Every structure is written in C-alpha cells, then in structure tokens.
C-alpha cells in the first residue's frame, strides 16, 4: 500500500511572531514501511509553545526545524500497517511525527497507549508532555510539599492547568495567573485558591502579594518576564523557582526582560532551576500511574481547545501566543 | 575604667550612591563592661558592599542600620577589660562592633583569633567572611569539581580574589573579570587562566566566550546585571550559577537589569542559587582548617587596600563602589 501524506512544512523562519506564511502545505508519497517500521494515520496532534524555539536556526536541546521540511511534534495515531514486532494494525500509539496526516516511522520511537485508562487525546495532555512537565516541575524540580503555597503562571494553559491540579492533589495552596475572566472562573473550578488576572491587574506584584500575603514557597514559571520578577518579589526565604517556560519572550529575536528583583535571589536565598522534561523520563511510570488515578477519581480534569483538520494546525499554533486556548491546544485530524 | 568611644553613625539614609554625608562622627562614653561582657579596642575593621543594603529601611536577612546609631560590621580588636570567662586582657578577638574605636560587647558574639595561624587582619579577609563566602559558594552552593571551568566576576575584590584562588586550589580552570589592567595583572599572578577587563571589552559576552570557548560550568556572581546575563549566554548545559553578590545594583533604589538570556535557564537546564554565608557556619571549621593550610603553603595569598584611621572608614566604604580596592578593603584603627 502506498500512501500520499499531507504535511505542514516550515515555509520560512519567522522574525518575531510567526504568521500563516511561516507554514506551507505539501503532499508527499510515502515509502512502504521497512523492517521495524509502522505506517501511522494521525488522529490528534499537539501544538506547543516550545515549537517556536525550533523555528530558530540555532543549537538547542533539540534540533531546529528545517525550512522546506515537515514540522514535527507529539501526536496520537492508529497503526495502518506494521512491520514491527509488538505492533498490529489498529493499535493506537503516541509518536512524534505530528503535523502530517500519515507517516512512516520507526517503531522504536512509538508507544502504545491504553484507551481504557484515558481517551486518545488525553495522551497529548494530562498523560502527555504537558501533564508530565507539570509533575516533574512540582515533584522533582520544585520539591513541593503539602501545605506550601505555589504560584502557577499561564495557569489556564496546557502545562499550567495540570500544575494547578497536581499541586492541589498534593495538598498545596495554589495561586494562579491567567489572562481573562473566563479563564479565571475555570481556574477556580479547578480548585485554585486565588486567581490573578494579569491583564487587568495594574500592579502584578501587588496583586500577587495580596493573593499570597505570607509569600510563595514555589513558583512554577511558564511566562518569564514580569511574572518571574513579581514572583521573586513575593517569594518567601528559601523559595524554589521552577523555570518550565518563558512564553513572554518566545517571539522576541532579542528578548530584553527588565528585572527589578534579581537581588532577592541573594537576600532570600532563592533557587531557580530550569528543566527539560526529556531528561526526566525515568519518572514517567510513577507519573502515569499517579495521573491515571487522579483522572479516574476526578482530581485532575482536562479541557481542550480543539481545531479541526490538519489545515488549521498553523492557526492553532499561532493561537498559543495570543491566549486563544483554554487548556490544551489540539488539532483533530481524523476519528479512529 | 570609663572610656569615651569614637564612633561612625548613619547620618541619613542614602538615595542612590552614598556620600560622605551618609556618615557622621560621634563620641560616646561607654559603660563599664557588665557580667559576661568585654571592653574591646578595635585594631582593624572591614567595609563590605553588603553594608549598603543595611542602609535601607526594609526587612532583610539582617536588621537595617538605624539613623543616629553606630554602623556595625566585622572587626578585630584587643580585649582591654574582661568580665567574661575564657577571655583575658590582651586577647585578640574578632567581633561585629566595627565602625568604632572601642566597644563594650557580649562575649557570646566574640571569637578569639589565632595570630600564629595568620595576622590579625587576615581574620577579616581570607579567614573571615570574604574567604568563607568564596568557599561556601564554590564548595556547597556551586559544587565545583576539579577540571571544571569557573567564571568569577569582581575577581579583584575581597570575595572574588578568594574565589579565584580557592577554585585554582581545587583544580579548576578560572576565568576572572576585573575593571582595570592593573587588577588583571594581579589576577594572572593569582593563577587565573584568563582575565576579562569588563571596562575595555566592547562585548562582555563575546569576551567571555573567547576566554571559555567550551563554556562555563560554574559562575560565581558578585556583580549581577550584564555579568550575569553574559554568564547565562556562555554557560554549559547543567551549569550552576552561584549568586553571592550583585554590586552593580546595590546603589539603585529601583534596580532595573535588562536581561537578554534568561531563557537559557530552561534550554540549558541551569540552576541559580543565592546564599547568605551566615546560614553555613557549620562548615566554618572545615573551611578554616583548609584556608590556614592554603595560606601556609602559599596557594592563597591576600592583598589589602588599607585606609588609615577610623575617620577614613566612610571613604573606604565609598571606594568599594568605584573599584578603588584591590583585594580586601580594610581600615586600620590602631596597632596592637
């Protein structure tokens, strides 16, 4: 069987905020799967802020996207043809060949997902990189303990909404920041003890101090910039700052963050630590067992913002930087 | 015996860089020492950049100085009268009642110093807070290992010059930043493998990258601001940033550091950690044994910039912020 795949390519490297011209559609006739390979039809694909970094031609923890080549990222699909032991036609798998409707991929990079534990798309959200990032950030990097106060920025995003709920499940008090009243209402439903709307707050530091009068023990940073600066101001002594993302600067060619409170790092003996979830997969089994439990008993719920069809994947991606998503931003390509 | 002490008081809280008007001389008739107290005559006193922070009326790890009251800080003196067990007239002690020529102090806050191990003034430098700060920063906070590359800023200062030499003694490669050619020459004498003059370098990041083409494992920060930003750019993956001081911002009422490289904290999985040496005195015995050995075998040497007489203590303090000192800035009040 020979299949023509529809793919989204990197058309040009964006300067500043990407536009629809950053992307280009193309078709490609796929080879038949070789030994150890699978032909997979994509059901769902993920768009994530970190992909902006891969659009730059510079060395990083993951290779840059190449102009004229398909983008890639997390996806869930169904096996249409298997030449790999342990995989059969009809299996649902997670893989990294998103941004296309079909792909031939090495089975080594593919994981079967358990649809009894959670629906297909949940393996891109609570049980995928966003949920796992939130877990690693709180558990291993931040060392969050019950009774502590944690501040989560971009709390209505894919990672942030998971961090809020995991922190609540661990018995912490949670302050969340969001960019709209509707997101604030959702965060309260999720159990956030206080919510700051950074778009309406005239002074983010003052708003954060009011929400956490005794200070914060852990800051889970998805934003950087003024959010990080405010968190340094309101941190308790010996607080831990978990640097998971800095979306505020992702579209800047020369980010220039004006920081007023860096000296707090000394005076309050703070620690700041950045991490990439790829380094922490030893904890994935422990995480997934916990998360499946939280999903079953309702301690963690997920909300997705869904765009329909591969053609809308660029629009979905661009929406990440204008706050269009509540919860995980997903693209649905096909039904099973 | 009743003594009239000469003291330097805080005359007014400075806005921005302190001036001579920040200080005022006064005399005070001291009470006789009570039970458990000592009358001490000061031989040497220390001026340190952190004292600028105590001139602000705001809560911190140490109480603010009070207007109209004497300043305080590390000093070495000789006991003139003892009403405390274990101390006798003529003992040389380190204490915290600097900025005055005599003081009556509780023996609980006083330590006898061993003049056979090192001269009196060395207990304010290599064996005092500066040397111990350098040691804690490299050993406990930074975890520096032999063969690693460490960058030390303000390397000709009291803490920096100790950090350079301790790092060399531990077998590290050392990059130092200084603000003059004369200081650069001294740093090379101390064993620095490369020296960057931040006043003549047109691009600090480029200069640092040239000095450390493979990147830095540990950054020992005494400066903050553009030095910290450059170090983030040149850090290796998993590098550790030890935040010991940020003198660049100490005189700013509203420090505003423009940072371009904060996202490196994520991409390179960096950790940044601030510390206050007061929290780490459990390691003082281990440190002092090591430092006495390094001083004896010449692995660590010290240079002091000495101002004569209590009246010159304000001038000595102000000089810390204009780079007047090479090595430890000290004030000599009297001979033993």
């Amino acid at each position: 069987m020979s299949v023509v795949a529809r793919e989204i390519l990197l058309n040009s490297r964006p300067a500043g905020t990407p536009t629809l011209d950053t992307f280009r559609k193309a078709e490609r006739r796929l080879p038949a799967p070789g030994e150890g390979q699978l032909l997979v039809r994509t059901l769902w694909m993920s768009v994530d802020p970190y992909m902006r970094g891969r659009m730059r031609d510079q060395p990083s923890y993951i290779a840059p996207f190449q102009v004229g080549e398909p983008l890639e990222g997390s996806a869930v699909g169904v096996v249409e043809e298997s030449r790999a032991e342990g995989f059969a036609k009809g299996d649902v798998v997670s893989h990294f060949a998103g941004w296309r409707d079909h792909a031939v991929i090495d089975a080594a990079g593919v994981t079967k997902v358990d649809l009894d534990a959670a629906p297909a798309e949940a393996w891109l959200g609570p049980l995928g990189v966003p949920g796992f990032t939130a877990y690693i950030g709180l558990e291993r990097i931040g060392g969050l303990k019950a009774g502590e106060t944690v501040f989560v920025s971009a709390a209505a995003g894919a990672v942030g909404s998971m961090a809020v709920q995991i922190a609540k499940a661990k018995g912490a008090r949670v302050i969340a920041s969001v960019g709209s009243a509707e997101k604030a209402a959702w965060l309260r439903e999720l159990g956030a003890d206080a919510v700051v709307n950074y778009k309406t707050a005239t002074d983010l530091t003052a708003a954060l101090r009011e929400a956490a009068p005794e200070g914060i023990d852990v800051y889970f940073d998805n934003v950087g910039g003024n959010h990080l600066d405010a968190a340094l101001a309101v941190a308790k002594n010996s607080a831990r700052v978990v640097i998971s993302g800095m979306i505020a600067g992702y579209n800047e060619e020369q980010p220039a963050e004006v920081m007023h409170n860096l000296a707090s790092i000394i005076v309050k003996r703070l620690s700041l630590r950045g991490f990439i979830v790829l380094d922490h997969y030893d904890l994935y089994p422990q995480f997934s067992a916990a998360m499946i439990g939280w999903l079953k008993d309702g301690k963690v719920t997920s909300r997705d913002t869904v765009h329909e069809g591969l053609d809308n994947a660029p629009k979905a991606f661009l929406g990440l930087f204008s706050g269009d998503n509540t919860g995980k931003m997903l693209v649905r390509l096909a039904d099973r």
Side-chain angles (χ1 to χ4, degrees), chain A:
Chain A
M1 185 176 89
S2 173
V3 169
V4 174
R6 297 177 58 243
E7 305 179 332
I8 307 285
L9 318 185
L10 182 64
N11 186 46
S12 62
R13 299 198 184 280
T17 304
T19 65
L20 290 175
D21 281 343
T22 304
F23 305 89
R24 177 156 54 92
K25 284 183 272 184
E27 296 194 345
R28 178 199 306 251
R29 182 165 296 276
L30 298 181
E35 186 61 36
Q37 290 190 316
L38 309 169
L39 171 67
V40 175
R41 177 169 56 90
T42 304
L43 301 174
W44 294 87
M45 61 164 273
S46 176
V47 291
D48 302 282
Y50 82 88
M51 295 171 173
R52 178 63 183 86
R54 294 192 71 187
M55 293 178 177
R56 282 196 181 86
D57 190 18
Q58 63 185 26
S60 187
Y61 62 94
I62 188 166
F65 293 134
Q66 295 302 318
V67 173
E69 293 294 320
L71 301 170
E72 55 182 30
S74 297
V76 171
V78 59
V79 174
E80 300 234 305
E81 192 179 339
S82 170
R83 292 198 56 200
E85 211 173 271
F87 292 88
K89 185 174 160 129
D91 284 350
V92 176
V93 297
S94 70
H95 60 86
F96 206 63
W99 295 89
R100 60 203 96 175
D101 65 357
H102 289 82
V104 170
I105 43 185
D106 292 344
V110 162
T111 310
K112 271 198 262 195
V113 303
D114 176 2
L115 297 185
D116 293 333
E121 66 273 26
W123 294 89
L124 298 176
L127 283 158
V129 169
F132 189 42
T133 299
Y135 182 84
I136 290 295
L138 294 174
E139 188 80 23
R140 175 170 275 174
I141 311 295
L144 182 69
K145 292 182 281 288
E148 290 190 321
T149 297
V150 57
F151 170 44
V152 179
S153 57
V159 174
S161 60
M162 288 297 128
V164 165
Q165 295 176 87
I166 293 171
K168 287 307 296 177
K170 289 179 69 73
R173 179 164 188 275
V174 179
I175 319 294
S177 79
V178 298
S180 79
E182 189 233 318
K183 289 177 181 175
W186 181 50
L187 264 293
R188 283 195 200 89
E189 279 173 39
L190 294 184
D193 298 279
V195 184
V196 172
N197 183 335
Y198 73 89
K199 285 196 178 155
T200 57
T202 49
D203 178 337
L204 184 59
T205 300
L208 185 54
R209 207 184 296 278
E210 191 182 336
E214 291 173 20
I216 57 176
D217 298 285
V218 173
Y219 171 44
F220 192 107
D221 189 16
N222 294 306
V223 173
N226 68 335
H227 278 73
L228 175 58
D229 208 32
L232 295 178
V234 179
K236 289 185 192 174
N237 283 348
S238 303
R240 294 89 73 197
V241 177
V242 177
I243 315 256
S244 175
M246 288 191 171
I247 195 168
Y250 284 179
N251 287 320
E252 309 282 338
E253 292 313 298
Q254 261 289 35
E257 306 294 355
V258 181
M259 303 293 287
H260 301 290
N261 301 312
L262 288 173
S264 292
I265 300 174
I266 307 174
V267 173
K268 301 191 207 166
R269 301 89 152 160
L270 306 182
S271 63
L272 289 73
R273 198 172 147 206
F275 74 105
I276 300 289
V277 75
L278 296 172
D279 300 337
H280 300 279
Y281 267 87
D282 59 300
L283 284 194
Y284 188 83
Q286 168 184 327
F287 155 73
S288 61
M291 181 56 80
I292 287 169
W294 288 326
L295 290 168
K296 288 225 152 103
D297 66 17
K299 283 200 173 160
V300 174
T301 61
S302 62
R303 185 185 285 196
D304 303 322
T305 300
V306 178
H307 289 251
E308 295 290 344
L310 180 65
D311 290 354
N312 282 316
K315 193 178 152 205
F317 177 76
L318 300 182
L320 292 170
F321 300 98
S322 47
D324 287 359
N325 56 309
T326 299
K328 181 75 191 96
M329 186 79 101
L330 288 174
V331 182
R332 174 159 47 200
L333 282 78
D335 285 329
R336 192 167 156 216

